[in-house]
mmCIF file of all heavy atoms in Angstrom:
data_model
loop_
_atom_site.group_PDB
_atom_site.id
_atom_site.type_symbol
_atom_site.label_atom_id
_atom_site.label_comp_id
_atom_site.label_asym_id
_atom_site.label_seq_id
_atom_site.Cartn_x
_atom_site.Cartn_y
_atom_site.Cartn_z
ATOM 1 N N PHE A 72 44.745 -48.718 -124.745
ATOM 2 C CA PHE A 72 43.894 -48.161 -125.793
ATOM 3 C C PHE A 72 42.621 -47.571 -125.196
ATOM 4 O O PHE A 72 42.250 -46.430 -125.480
ATOM 5 C CB PHE A 72 43.546 -49.230 -126.835
ATOM 6 C CG PHE A 72 42.469 -48.794 -127.786
ATOM 7 C CD1 PHE A 72 42.734 -47.876 -128.781
ATOM 8 C CD2 PHE A 72 41.175 -49.288 -127.668
ATOM 9 C CE1 PHE A 72 41.736 -47.450 -129.650
ATOM 10 C CE2 PHE A 72 40.174 -48.873 -128.532
ATOM 11 C CZ PHE A 72 40.455 -47.954 -129.526
ATOM 12 N N ARG A 75 43.019 -44.405 -123.297
ATOM 13 C CA ARG A 75 43.317 -43.282 -124.178
ATOM 14 C C ARG A 75 42.085 -42.745 -124.923
ATOM 15 O O ARG A 75 41.991 -41.559 -125.189
ATOM 16 C CB ARG A 75 44.369 -43.716 -125.186
ATOM 17 C CG ARG A 75 44.896 -42.587 -125.984
ATOM 18 C CD ARG A 75 46.291 -42.825 -126.371
ATOM 19 N NE ARG A 75 46.785 -41.609 -127.000
ATOM 20 C CZ ARG A 75 48.017 -41.416 -127.302
ATOM 21 N NH1 ARG A 75 48.908 -42.322 -127.026
ATOM 22 N NH2 ARG A 75 48.390 -40.306 -127.886
ATOM 23 N N VAL A 76 41.142 -43.627 -125.271
ATOM 24 C CA VAL A 76 40.020 -43.197 -126.117
ATOM 25 C C VAL A 76 38.681 -43.073 -125.397
ATOM 26 O O VAL A 76 37.778 -42.402 -125.905
ATOM 27 C CB VAL A 76 39.852 -44.124 -127.348
ATOM 28 C CG1 VAL A 76 41.117 -44.162 -128.169
ATOM 29 C CG2 VAL A 76 39.406 -45.511 -126.948
ATOM 30 N N LYS A 79 36.161 -39.892 -125.234
ATOM 31 C CA LYS A 79 36.673 -38.876 -126.166
ATOM 32 C C LYS A 79 35.702 -38.580 -127.307
ATOM 33 O O LYS A 79 35.945 -37.682 -128.088
ATOM 34 C CB LYS A 79 38.024 -39.306 -126.748
ATOM 35 C CG LYS A 79 39.132 -39.460 -125.739
ATOM 36 C CD LYS A 79 39.588 -38.139 -125.189
ATOM 37 C CE LYS A 79 40.866 -38.219 -124.408
ATOM 38 N NZ LYS A 79 40.803 -38.741 -123.085
ATOM 39 N N MET A 82 36.715 -37.529 -130.891
ATOM 40 C CA MET A 82 38.177 -37.410 -130.830
ATOM 41 C C MET A 82 38.867 -38.759 -130.625
ATOM 42 O O MET A 82 40.086 -38.834 -130.624
ATOM 43 C CB MET A 82 38.579 -36.456 -129.701
ATOM 44 C CG MET A 82 38.086 -35.030 -129.882
ATOM 45 S SD MET A 82 38.808 -34.244 -131.325
ATOM 46 C CE MET A 82 40.486 -34.089 -130.758
ATOM 47 N N ARG A 83 38.081 -39.808 -130.442
ATOM 48 C CA ARG A 83 38.701 -41.107 -130.161
ATOM 49 C C ARG A 83 39.569 -41.598 -131.314
ATOM 50 O O ARG A 83 40.612 -42.206 -131.099
ATOM 51 C CB ARG A 83 37.653 -42.139 -129.781
ATOM 52 C CG ARG A 83 36.796 -42.622 -130.917
ATOM 53 C CD ARG A 83 35.819 -43.706 -130.481
ATOM 54 N NE ARG A 83 35.086 -44.195 -131.600
ATOM 55 C CZ ARG A 83 33.878 -43.765 -131.958
ATOM 56 N NH1 ARG A 83 33.274 -42.828 -131.255
ATOM 57 N NH2 ARG A 83 33.276 -44.279 -133.005
ATOM 58 N N CYS A 84 39.159 -41.341 -132.544
ATOM 59 C CA CYS A 84 39.955 -41.785 -133.690
ATOM 60 C C CYS A 84 41.323 -41.105 -133.693
ATOM 61 O O CYS A 84 42.335 -41.752 -133.946
ATOM 62 C CB CYS A 84 39.228 -41.516 -135.005
ATOM 63 S SG CYS A 84 37.725 -42.498 -135.211
ATOM 64 N N GLU A 85 41.338 -39.826 -133.382
ATOM 65 C CA GLU A 85 42.618 -39.121 -133.339
ATOM 66 C C GLU A 85 43.539 -39.748 -132.298
ATOM 67 O O GLU A 85 44.734 -39.941 -132.545
ATOM 68 C CB GLU A 85 42.428 -37.641 -133.023
ATOM 69 C CG GLU A 85 43.748 -36.906 -132.948
ATOM 70 C CD GLU A 85 43.621 -35.429 -132.652
ATOM 71 O OE1 GLU A 85 42.490 -34.888 -132.640
ATOM 72 O OE2 GLU A 85 44.665 -34.802 -132.427
ATOM 73 N N GLN A 86 42.998 -40.073 -131.137
ATOM 74 C CA GLN A 86 43.813 -40.690 -130.090
ATOM 75 C C GLN A 86 44.338 -42.055 -130.532
ATOM 76 O O GLN A 86 45.477 -42.412 -130.248
ATOM 77 C CB GLN A 86 43.021 -40.808 -128.787
ATOM 78 C CG GLN A 86 42.702 -39.473 -128.149
ATOM 79 C CD GLN A 86 43.957 -38.658 -127.907
ATOM 80 O OE1 GLN A 86 44.921 -39.145 -127.328
ATOM 81 N NE2 GLN A 86 43.955 -37.412 -128.356
ATOM 82 N N CYS A 87 43.515 -42.798 -131.225
ATOM 83 C CA CYS A 87 43.922 -44.107 -131.748
ATOM 84 C C CYS A 87 45.047 -43.936 -132.771
ATOM 85 O O CYS A 87 46.054 -44.650 -132.730
ATOM 86 C CB CYS A 87 42.721 -44.807 -132.373
ATOM 87 S SG CYS A 87 43.099 -46.433 -133.050
ATOM 88 N N TYR A 88 44.887 -42.988 -133.685
ATOM 89 C CA TYR A 88 45.927 -42.728 -134.681
ATOM 90 C C TYR A 88 47.226 -42.323 -133.990
ATOM 91 O O TYR A 88 48.305 -42.789 -134.351
ATOM 92 C CB TYR A 88 45.518 -41.614 -135.640
ATOM 93 C CG TYR A 88 44.280 -41.880 -136.466
ATOM 94 C CD1 TYR A 88 43.463 -40.822 -136.867
ATOM 95 C CD2 TYR A 88 43.907 -43.155 -136.860
ATOM 96 C CE1 TYR A 88 42.335 -41.030 -137.630
ATOM 97 C CE2 TYR A 88 42.769 -43.378 -137.623
ATOM 98 C CZ TYR A 88 41.982 -42.305 -138.006
ATOM 99 O OH TYR A 88 40.859 -42.507 -138.763
ATOM 100 N N ARG A 89 47.119 -41.445 -132.997
ATOM 101 C CA ARG A 89 48.313 -40.986 -132.275
ATOM 102 C C ARG A 89 49.050 -42.147 -131.612
ATOM 103 O O ARG A 89 50.275 -42.220 -131.661
ATOM 104 C CB ARG A 89 47.949 -39.942 -131.229
ATOM 105 C CG ARG A 89 47.630 -38.606 -131.807
ATOM 106 C CD ARG A 89 47.456 -37.516 -130.761
ATOM 107 N NE ARG A 89 47.145 -36.274 -131.436
ATOM 108 C CZ ARG A 89 48.035 -35.525 -132.080
ATOM 109 N NH1 ARG A 89 49.301 -35.891 -132.087
ATOM 110 N NH2 ARG A 89 47.673 -34.427 -132.696
ATOM 111 N N MET A 90 48.302 -43.026 -131.001
ATOM 112 C CA MET A 90 48.904 -44.158 -130.313
ATOM 113 C C MET A 90 49.704 -45.031 -131.285
ATOM 114 O O MET A 90 50.859 -45.378 -131.038
ATOM 115 C CB MET A 90 47.802 -44.968 -129.628
ATOM 116 C CG MET A 90 48.263 -46.076 -128.755
ATOM 117 S SD MET A 90 46.807 -46.845 -127.960
ATOM 118 C CE MET A 90 47.624 -47.689 -126.622
ATOM 119 N N ARG A 91 49.097 -45.360 -132.396
ATOM 120 C CA ARG A 91 49.740 -46.260 -133.353
ATOM 121 C C ARG A 91 50.827 -45.574 -134.176
ATOM 122 O O ARG A 91 51.884 -46.156 -134.424
ATOM 123 C CB ARG A 91 48.685 -46.904 -134.251
ATOM 124 C CG ARG A 91 47.764 -47.803 -133.420
ATOM 125 C CD ARG A 91 46.777 -48.568 -134.247
ATOM 126 N NE ARG A 91 45.733 -47.710 -134.767
ATOM 127 C CZ ARG A 91 44.977 -48.011 -135.825
ATOM 128 N NH1 ARG A 91 45.167 -49.140 -136.480
ATOM 129 N NH2 ARG A 91 44.029 -47.207 -136.223
#
Side-chain angles (χ1 to χ4, degrees):
F72 169 74
R75 189 149 187 171
V76 302
K79 297 289 192 283
M82 297 296 291
R83 73 177 184 264
C84 294
E85 179 179 352
Q86 293 304 309
C87 180
Y88 299 150
R89 285 188 180 284
M90 186 177 198
R91 295 185 287 159

